[in-house]
Amino acid sequence: MLIVKLSTVKMQRSWQVLVLVLVSLLSLPSSSFSTADLPLSADGKVLELDESNFDHAISSFDYILVDFYAPWCGHCKRLSPELDAAAPQLAKLKEPVVLAKVNADKFTGLAKKYDVDAYPTIKIFMHGIPVDYYGPRKAELIVRYLKKFVAPDVSILESDSSINEFVEAAGPYFPIYLGFGLDESVISKFAINYKKKAWFSVAKGFSEDIMVSYDFDKVPALVSIHPSYNNERSIFYGPFEEQFLEEFIKQSMLPLVLPINYDTLKLLKDDERKIALTIVEDEDDDQTKNLITLLKAAASANRELVFAYVGSKQWGEFTDSFGDKKTTLPKMVIWDGKDDYLMVTGSESITGNDYASEISKFIEGYREGRTEERRVAGPAIISFISSLMGIRSVYIIVIIVAGIMLYRTKDDDNEYRRVDTPARDQADQSSSSNSHVERTEYRAGDKED
């Protein structure tokens, strides 16, 4: 009997100890058992991140691409399997790139922190620093694109075949700089500074056939190539001093004549030069193609300007904002990339058969200051802002302005209140109903790019 009682006491004490241990564990800070403490690995799977493990993931990998998505977004649904297919290939790289995703519609704090205002928004975190991703969205092309970020700052090429292989592997999404007869140290600083925007290499061994192929006739030379613009090339023969070299690199980041669209507008954000913008009827007709050839010649001689063109047929909202719609096309303006542009007096349109002379006349008039300053107006401003900010931000701005106007209207109503206002009450109800419909339509329509 005594033995039974002793056993019972021991069991009770054991349970008490167990309960105390459990209580102690539960009383510890929740961060002690956060998923942020769990090890993360580049195992070829797309990581699912949330607010508990996001910072841990970003600090765990030197290169991680994050897809901020919404479950209802059509573009997001199409992108997801492409990321799943690309992840294992990127995990096998010598310096792996990890793919991850965040339900930004649910974890709004992360979305706000990283300025996510459209779905999907994709960012590459390099050593913890986020950079917007504007690259392709098919698995094979995603892999090729992301290899850029883990490649050497400057690739050393030893033969003709290695040069051709390097250019082929680089793909079409970044300009390529090939140094011939140059020491690696000459461009290494710029290769680091502009690694996010271009490929850099130095060819140690090459033949005359390569010189003919890349259009240079003496060394040292630095050749820039734009694969996505018919392999357009620019050649720099020096002086290879820092100031002049960087000026060439910066100016040749863009092609000689840039087509204006949503993607290229984003590229212009980083360029401080003014834009010689040519507005044409149709980007695809033969007249425009001939004009672009002449614009390239003008761009080569006037590198302090970005030369660009846009078709009224392709982007009417944008082109209508630059002056009178009755002005004969093609026409040229000098645009600051924001809200203002200059018309050159006497060169409002490019008329006649001698486009080359008309372009020269326009540039000369601009240099001499024969200009009239004007303001960009109309839908193009909204299009431009939305392309850089995301449509969600534009809606927020519109809602804020509408709220201010509504508040002022209520103040006026309070000041001049009437006793019998059935008609106004009915209008207010109708306005409220319409406002609800607009909000519903916006939420139902998604924020896809």
Short mmCIF file of all heavy atoms in Angstrom, two decimals, residues 336-375:
data_model
loop_
_atom_site.label_atom_id
_atom_site.label_comp_id
_atom_site.label_asym_id
_atom_site.label_seq_id
_atom_site.Cartn_x
_atom_site.Cartn_y
_atom_site.Cartn_z
N ASP A 336 11.81 66.82 -71.61
CA ASP A 336 12.64 66.62 -70.42
C ASP A 336 12.39 65.29 -69.74
O ASP A 336 12.98 64.99 -68.69
CB ASP A 336 12.46 67.77 -69.42
CG ASP A 336 11.08 67.81 -68.78
OD1 ASP A 336 10.22 66.99 -69.15
OD2 ASP A 336 10.86 68.68 -67.91
N GLY A 337 11.50 64.46 -70.30
CA GLY A 337 11.19 63.17 -69.72
C GLY A 337 10.16 63.24 -68.62
O GLY A 337 9.78 62.22 -68.05
N LYS A 338 9.68 64.44 -68.34
CA LYS A 338 8.69 64.63 -67.26
C LYS A 338 7.50 65.41 -67.78
O LYS A 338 6.69 64.89 -68.52
CB LYS A 338 9.35 65.32 -66.07
CG LYS A 338 10.50 64.51 -65.47
CD LYS A 338 11.20 65.27 -64.36
CE LYS A 338 12.39 64.46 -63.82
NZ LYS A 338 13.15 65.22 -62.80
N ASP A 339 7.41 66.68 -67.38
CA ASP A 339 6.19 67.45 -67.66
C ASP A 339 6.36 68.54 -68.71
O ASP A 339 5.37 69.15 -69.12
CB ASP A 339 5.70 68.12 -66.36
CG ASP A 339 5.39 67.10 -65.28
OD1 ASP A 339 4.90 66.01 -65.64
OD2 ASP A 339 5.64 67.38 -64.09
N ASP A 340 7.58 68.83 -69.12
CA ASP A 340 7.81 69.97 -70.01
C ASP A 340 8.50 69.53 -71.30
O ASP A 340 9.24 68.55 -71.32
CB ASP A 340 8.68 71.03 -69.31
CG ASP A 340 8.01 71.58 -68.06
OD1 ASP A 340 6.85 72.00 -68.16
OD2 ASP A 340 8.65 71.58 -66.99
N TYR A 341 8.25 70.30 -72.36
CA TYR A 341 8.94 70.05 -73.62
C TYR A 341 9.12 71.36 -74.36
O TYR A 341 8.49 72.39 -74.02
CB TYR A 341 8.20 69.03 -74.48
CG TYR A 341 6.87 69.48 -75.04
CD1 TYR A 341 6.77 69.97 -76.35
CD2 TYR A 341 5.71 69.41 -74.28
CE1 TYR A 341 5.56 70.37 -76.87
CE2 TYR A 341 4.49 69.80 -74.79
CZ TYR A 341 4.41 70.29 -76.10
OH TYR A 341 3.21 70.70 -76.60
N LEU A 342 9.99 71.36 -75.37
CA LEU A 342 10.28 72.55 -76.15
C LEU A 342 9.88 72.32 -77.61
O LEU A 342 10.20 71.27 -78.19
CB LEU A 342 11.78 72.88 -76.10
CG LEU A 342 12.38 73.20 -74.73
CD1 LEU A 342 13.90 73.36 -74.85
CD2 LEU A 342 11.77 74.45 -74.13
N MET A 343 9.19 73.28 -78.17
CA MET A 343 8.96 73.33 -79.62
C MET A 343 10.02 74.25 -80.22
O MET A 343 10.32 75.30 -79.66
CB MET A 343 7.57 73.87 -79.94
CG MET A 343 6.43 72.99 -79.46
SD MET A 343 6.28 71.45 -80.40
CE MET A 343 5.86 72.07 -82.04
N VAL A 344 10.61 73.86 -81.34
CA VAL A 344 11.61 74.69 -82.01
C VAL A 344 10.91 75.52 -83.08
O VAL A 344 10.27 74.98 -83.99
CB VAL A 344 12.72 73.81 -82.64
CG1 VAL A 344 13.69 74.68 -83.44
CG2 VAL A 344 13.46 73.05 -81.55
N THR A 345 11.01 76.82 -82.95
CA THR A 345 10.36 77.74 -83.88
C THR A 345 10.86 77.52 -85.31
O THR A 345 12.07 77.49 -85.56
CB THR A 345 10.62 79.20 -83.47
OG1 THR A 345 10.20 79.39 -82.12
CG2 THR A 345 9.87 80.17 -84.38
N GLY A 346 9.92 77.33 -86.22
CA GLY A 346 10.26 77.08 -87.61
C GLY A 346 10.48 75.61 -87.92
O GLY A 346 10.68 75.25 -89.08
N SER A 347 10.45 74.76 -86.90
CA SER A 347 10.63 73.32 -87.11
C SER A 347 9.54 72.54 -86.37
O SER A 347 9.80 71.49 -85.78
CB SER A 347 12.01 72.87 -86.62
OG SER A 347 13.04 73.46 -87.37
N GLU A 348 8.32 73.08 -86.41
CA GLU A 348 7.21 72.42 -85.74
C GLU A 348 6.91 71.06 -86.36
O GLU A 348 6.47 70.13 -85.68
CB GLU A 348 5.95 73.29 -85.78
CG GLU A 348 6.01 74.53 -84.90
CD GLU A 348 6.80 75.68 -85.53
OE1 GLU A 348 7.24 75.52 -86.70
OE2 GLU A 348 6.97 76.71 -84.86
N SER A 349 7.14 70.93 -87.66
CA SER A 349 6.97 69.65 -88.36
C SER A 349 8.18 69.38 -89.23
O SER A 349 8.93 70.29 -89.60
CB SER A 349 5.71 69.69 -89.24
OG SER A 349 4.55 69.85 -88.46
N ILE A 350 8.40 68.09 -89.51
CA ILE A 350 9.45 67.70 -90.45
C ILE A 350 8.77 67.47 -91.79
O ILE A 350 8.14 66.43 -92.02
CB ILE A 350 10.16 66.41 -89.98
CG1 ILE A 350 10.74 66.61 -88.59
CG2 ILE A 350 11.26 66.01 -90.94
CD1 ILE A 350 11.35 65.36 -88.01
N THR A 351 8.84 68.44 -92.66
CA THR A 351 8.11 68.38 -93.92
C THR A 351 9.06 68.25 -95.10
O THR A 351 10.27 68.43 -94.97
CB THR A 351 7.24 69.65 -94.09
OG1 THR A 351 8.10 70.81 -94.02
CG2 THR A 351 6.20 69.74 -92.98
N GLY A 352 8.50 67.94 -96.25
CA GLY A 352 9.31 67.85 -97.46
C GLY A 352 9.96 66.49 -97.61
O GLY A 352 9.73 65.57 -96.84
N ASN A 353 10.80 66.39 -98.62
CA ASN A 353 11.45 65.12 -98.93
C ASN A 353 12.83 64.98 -98.30
O ASN A 353 13.38 63.89 -98.25
CB ASN A 353 11.58 64.97 -100.45
CG ASN A 353 10.21 64.91 -101.13
OD1 ASN A 353 9.28 64.30 -100.59
ND2 ASN A 353 10.10 65.54 -102.29
N ASP A 354 13.40 66.10 -97.84
CA ASP A 354 14.76 66.07 -97.31
C ASP A 354 14.70 66.05 -95.78
O ASP A 354 14.90 67.05 -95.11
CB ASP A 354 15.54 67.29 -97.80
CG ASP A 354 17.03 67.20 -97.49
OD1 ASP A 354 17.42 66.21 -96.83
OD2 ASP A 354 17.78 68.11 -97.87
N TYR A 355 14.42 64.87 -95.23
CA TYR A 355 14.31 64.74 -93.79
C TYR A 355 15.63 65.06 -93.09
O TYR A 355 15.65 65.62 -91.98
CB TYR A 355 13.87 63.32 -93.40
CG TYR A 355 12.40 63.06 -93.55
CD1 TYR A 355 11.92 61.75 -93.57
CD2 TYR A 355 11.48 64.10 -93.66
CE1 TYR A 355 10.55 61.49 -93.70
CE2 TYR A 355 10.12 63.86 -93.79
CZ TYR A 355 9.67 62.55 -93.81
OH TYR A 355 8.32 62.30 -93.93
N ALA A 356 16.75 64.70 -93.69
CA ALA A 356 18.05 64.94 -93.07
C ALA A 356 18.27 66.43 -92.80
O ALA A 356 18.72 66.82 -91.72
CB ALA A 356 19.17 64.39 -93.97
N SER A 357 17.94 67.26 -93.78
CA SER A 357 18.09 68.71 -93.60
C SER A 357 17.14 69.23 -92.53
O SER A 357 17.50 70.11 -91.74
CB SER A 357 17.83 69.44 -94.93
OG SER A 357 18.80 69.08 -95.88
N GLU A 358 15.92 68.69 -92.49
CA GLU A 358 14.93 69.14 -91.50
C GLU A 358 15.37 68.78 -90.08
O GLU A 358 15.18 69.56 -89.15
CB GLU A 358 13.57 68.52 -91.81
CG GLU A 358 12.92 69.01 -93.08
CD GLU A 358 12.57 70.50 -93.00
OE1 GLU A 358 12.09 70.93 -91.94
OE2 GLU A 358 12.81 71.21 -93.99
N ILE A 359 15.96 67.59 -89.93
CA ILE A 359 16.46 67.18 -88.61
C ILE A 359 17.60 68.09 -88.18
O ILE A 359 17.67 68.54 -87.02
CB ILE A 359 16.90 65.71 -88.63
CG1 ILE A 359 15.70 64.79 -88.86
CG2 ILE A 359 17.61 65.33 -87.33
CD1 ILE A 359 16.08 63.34 -89.15
N SER A 360 18.53 68.37 -89.10
CA SER A 360 19.65 69.27 -88.79
C SER A 360 19.15 70.66 -88.43
O SER A 360 19.67 71.29 -87.49
CB SER A 360 20.60 69.36 -90.00
OG SER A 360 21.16 68.11 -90.30
N LYS A 361 18.15 71.14 -89.14
CA LYS A 361 17.56 72.45 -88.85
C LYS A 361 16.94 72.47 -87.46
O LYS A 361 17.07 73.46 -86.72
CB LYS A 361 16.51 72.77 -89.92
CG LYS A 361 15.81 74.11 -89.74
CD LYS A 361 14.77 74.31 -90.82
CE LYS A 361 13.97 75.60 -90.59
NZ LYS A 361 12.89 75.74 -91.62
N PHE A 362 16.28 71.38 -87.09
CA PHE A 362 15.66 71.28 -85.77
C PHE A 362 16.71 71.33 -84.68
O PHE A 362 16.59 72.07 -83.69
CB PHE A 362 14.85 69.98 -85.67
CG PHE A 362 14.31 69.69 -84.30
CD1 PHE A 362 13.08 70.21 -83.91
CD2 PHE A 362 15.01 68.90 -83.40
CE1 PHE A 362 12.57 69.97 -82.65
CE2 PHE A 362 14.51 68.64 -82.13
CZ PHE A 362 13.28 69.17 -81.76
N ILE A 363 17.79 70.54 -84.81
CA ILE A 363 18.85 70.51 -83.80
C ILE A 363 19.53 71.87 -83.70
O ILE A 363 19.82 72.37 -82.60
CB ILE A 363 19.90 69.43 -84.14
CG1 ILE A 363 19.25 68.04 -84.14
CG2 ILE A 363 21.05 69.47 -83.16
CD1 ILE A 363 18.66 67.62 -82.82
N GLU A 364 19.77 72.50 -84.85
CA GLU A 364 20.41 73.82 -84.86
C GLU A 364 19.53 74.84 -84.14
O GLU A 364 20.02 75.66 -83.35
CB GLU A 364 20.65 74.26 -86.31
CG GLU A 364 21.36 75.60 -86.43
CD GLU A 364 21.58 76.00 -87.88
OE1 GLU A 364 21.37 75.15 -88.77
OE2 GLU A 364 21.95 77.16 -88.12
N GLY A 365 18.22 74.81 -84.41
CA GLY A 365 17.30 75.74 -83.74
C GLY A 365 17.28 75.54 -82.24
O GLY A 365 17.22 76.50 -81.46
N TYR A 366 17.35 74.28 -81.82
CA TYR A 366 17.37 74.00 -80.39
C TYR A 366 18.64 74.54 -79.75
O TYR A 366 18.59 75.17 -78.68
CB TYR A 366 17.27 72.48 -80.17
CG TYR A 366 17.65 72.04 -78.78
CD1 TYR A 366 16.88 72.40 -77.67
CD2 TYR A 366 18.80 71.27 -78.57
CE1 TYR A 366 17.24 72.01 -76.38
CE2 TYR A 366 19.17 70.87 -77.29
CZ TYR A 366 18.38 71.24 -76.20
OH TYR A 366 18.75 70.85 -74.94
N ARG A 367 19.79 74.34 -80.40
CA ARG A 367 21.06 74.81 -79.84
C ARG A 367 21.11 76.34 -79.77
O ARG A 367 21.71 76.90 -78.85
CB ARG A 367 22.22 74.30 -80.69
CG ARG A 367 22.40 72.79 -80.65
CD ARG A 367 23.75 72.40 -81.24
NE ARG A 367 23.90 70.97 -81.34
CZ ARG A 367 24.11 70.14 -80.32
NH1 ARG A 367 24.19 70.65 -79.11
NH2 ARG A 367 24.23 68.85 -80.49
N GLU A 368 20.48 76.99 -80.72
CA GLU A 368 20.49 78.45 -80.75
C GLU A 368 19.43 79.06 -79.85
O GLU A 368 19.34 80.29 -79.71
CB GLU A 368 20.30 78.94 -82.19
CG GLU A 368 21.48 78.59 -83.10
CD GLU A 368 21.24 78.99 -84.54
OE1 GLU A 368 20.09 79.45 -84.85
OE2 GLU A 368 22.17 78.86 -85.36
N GLY A 369 18.61 78.23 -79.23
CA GLY A 369 17.62 78.73 -78.28
C GLY A 369 16.35 79.26 -78.91
O GLY A 369 15.57 79.96 -78.24
N ARG A 370 16.11 78.93 -80.18
CA ARG A 370 14.87 79.36 -80.84
C ARG A 370 13.74 78.39 -80.48
O ARG A 370 13.26 77.64 -81.32
CB ARG A 370 15.08 79.43 -82.35
CG ARG A 370 16.03 80.54 -82.78
CD ARG A 370 16.10 80.73 -84.28
NE ARG A 370 16.96 79.74 -84.92
CZ ARG A 370 16.53 78.70 -85.62
NH1 ARG A 370 15.23 78.48 -85.75
NH2 ARG A 370 17.38 77.87 -86.18
N THR A 371 13.35 78.44 -79.22
CA THR A 371 12.40 77.44 -78.71
C THR A 371 11.25 78.10 -77.95
O THR A 371 11.35 79.25 -77.50
CB THR A 371 13.11 76.46 -77.76
OG1 THR A 371 13.70 77.17 -76.67
CG2 THR A 371 14.19 75.68 -78.49
N GLU A 372 10.18 77.35 -77.83
CA GLU A 372 9.02 77.77 -77.04
C GLU A 372 8.69 76.66 -76.04
O GLU A 372 8.47 75.52 -76.44
CB GLU A 372 7.81 78.00 -77.97
CG GLU A 372 6.54 78.37 -77.23
CD GLU A 372 5.34 78.45 -78.16
OE1 GLU A 372 5.55 78.51 -79.40
OE2 GLU A 372 4.20 78.42 -77.65
N GLU A 373 8.71 77.02 -74.76
CA GLU A 373 8.48 76.01 -73.72
C GLU A 373 6.99 75.74 -73.58
O GLU A 373 6.16 76.66 -73.55
CB GLU A 373 9.05 76.47 -72.38
CG GLU A 373 8.97 75.41 -71.29
CD GLU A 373 9.72 75.79 -70.03
OE1 GLU A 373 10.41 76.83 -70.05
OE2 GLU A 373 9.61 75.04 -69.04
N ARG A 374 6.65 74.46 -73.47
CA ARG A 374 5.26 74.06 -73.31
C ARG A 374 5.14 72.97 -72.24
O ARG A 374 6.14 72.40 -71.83
CB ARG A 374 4.68 73.54 -74.64
CG ARG A 374 4.62 74.62 -75.72
CD ARG A 374 3.85 74.15 -76.92
NE ARG A 374 3.83 75.16 -77.96
CZ ARG A 374 3.19 75.02 -79.12
NH1 ARG A 374 2.52 73.89 -79.38
NH2 ARG A 374 3.21 75.97 -80.03
N ARG A 375 3.91 72.71 -71.84
CA ARG A 375 3.63 71.75 -70.78
C ARG A 375 2.96 70.52 -71.38
O ARG A 375 2.01 70.63 -72.16
CB ARG A 375 2.69 72.38 -69.76
CG ARG A 375 2.55 71.59 -68.46
CD ARG A 375 3.70 71.86 -67.56
NE ARG A 375 3.47 71.30 -66.21
CZ ARG A 375 4.39 71.23 -65.29
NH1 ARG A 375 5.60 71.68 -65.54
NH2 ARG A 375 4.13 70.72 -64.10
#
